[in-house]
Amino acid sequence: MNRSKFIYLTDLILVFVFVLSFYTGVELHIAGHGINHATWHNWAVFHTIVSLLFMAFGIIHIRSHWGWYGGLKRKGCKGKGKVVLLLSIVFVLVVVSGLVVLFFVNGANSSIGLLHYKTGIVVGALGVLHVLERKRMLYKGVLTCVFGKKKE
């Protein structure tokens, strides 16, 4: 598989797991306000699995675009780059807080869990902007790589 096809397939998977991670995180938060622990637990397991996939594909995505980060030193951050840079920073905060919750927090309603939830909402908003700014490129890549045809 060539590099561009790998990048587009990674991006396509990343969009899918991004939506699932955000959705399950919101459902987990809602379930935390209920009285049914089994429901909360099921959403917690689903959110953890999907979010670990999101983290893995997010790291692959960042690694495949690593040259952009190197270019920040030379060119600075302009236009769309500000959203990407902010998304990258908040993504790191969400990953770190999520791993802390996963490995060091027992139960619901912790302060670090609430921080994770709030930064997750910010990642959700910035992620939607990031995807929308690149929707044409993503669509073109899907047509080319998945279906083997170019958009006319």
Side-chain angles (χ1 to χ4, degrees):
M1 177 181 308
N2 68 27
R3 178 173 157 69
S4 64
K5 188 172 184 176
F6 176 78
I7 289 171
Y8 282 120
L9 289 175
T10 300
D11 292 353
L12 186 62
I13 293 167
L14 189 58
V15 170
F16 178 71
V17 293
F18 161 71
V19 170
L20 276 179
S21 179
F22 185 80
Y23 176 75
T24 59
V26 171
E27 286 291 343
L28 176 59
H29 182 77
I30 291 168
H33 291 288
I35 56 172
N36 187 341
H37 179 73
T39 301
W40 175 86
H41 177 77
N42 290 340
W43 280 114
V45 169
F46 190 25
H47 180 65
T48 300
I49 292 167
V50 170
S51 295
L52 288 172
L53 282 171
F54 178 59
M55 180 185 70
F57 280 97
I59 290 168
I60 293 167
H61 176 78
I62 289 168
R63 180 84 170 103
S64 66
H65 297 292
W66 195 247
W68 180 85
Y69 292 94
L72 285 175
K73 291 179 185 176
R74 293 184 309 276
K75 296 185 267 183
C77 190
K78 302 172 189 163
K80 294 179 187 177
K82 292 177 184 175
V83 172
V84 177
L85 185 58
L86 186 57
L87 175 60
S88 300
I89 292 166
V90 181
F91 175 75
V92 169
L93 291 173
V94 168
V95 167
V96 170
S97 64
L99 291 173
V100 168
V101 168
L102 180 61
F103 292 114
F104 301 108
V105 174
N106 290 323
N109 301 320
S110 67
S111 58
I112 191 76
L114 190 55
L115 172 70
H116 176 71
Y117 172 71
K118 289 176 180 178
T119 54
I121 290 173
V122 175
V123 163
L126 292 171
V128 166
L129 288 174
H130 184 63
V131 170
L132 289 177
E133 288 174 344
R134 288 151 183 84
K135 68 182 176 201
R136 255 193 198 138
M137 195 172 11
L138 185 61
Y139 179 69
K140 180 182 170 187
V142 168
L143 287 178
T144 304
C145 295
V146 176
F147 299 110
K149 52 184 155 179
K150 295 190 186 250
K151 185 179 178 194
E152 298 165 6

